[in-house]
């Protein structure tokens, strides 16, 4: 399950879907329930976005190290 949640397509889906729900929920659901739904979905979206950003940085770092080794 962990490898499925760490895959790029799943992270992109979580990021975009939860971001959309977080933006729309306060207008669709009335009161504090809509606000809390928006906050909760926003937190999930930020978590998925951070995971995408971290995996991007690690991938670029690995490519940089490989290129450095080839030059030596």
């Amino acid at each position: 399950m962990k490898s499925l949640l760490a895959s790029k397509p799943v992270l992109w889906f979580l990021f975009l879907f939860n971001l959309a729900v977080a933006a729309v929920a306060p207008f669709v659901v009335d009161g504090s329930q809509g606000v809390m739904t928006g906050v909760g979905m926003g937190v999930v979206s930020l978590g998925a976005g951070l995971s995408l950003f971290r995996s991007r940085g690690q991938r670029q770092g690995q490519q940089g190290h490989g290129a450095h080794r080839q030059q030596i």
Side-chain angles (χ1 to χ4, degrees), residues 29-49:
V29 181
D30 291 331
S32 62
Q33 186 175 5
V35 173
M36 292 308 295
T37 301
V39 169
M41 294 297 228
V43 168
V44 172
S45 178
L46 285 174

Side-chain angles (χ1 to χ4, degrees), residues 20 24-25 27 48 50 57 65 68:
V24 173
F27 301 107
L50 285 173
H65 292 301
H68 178 66

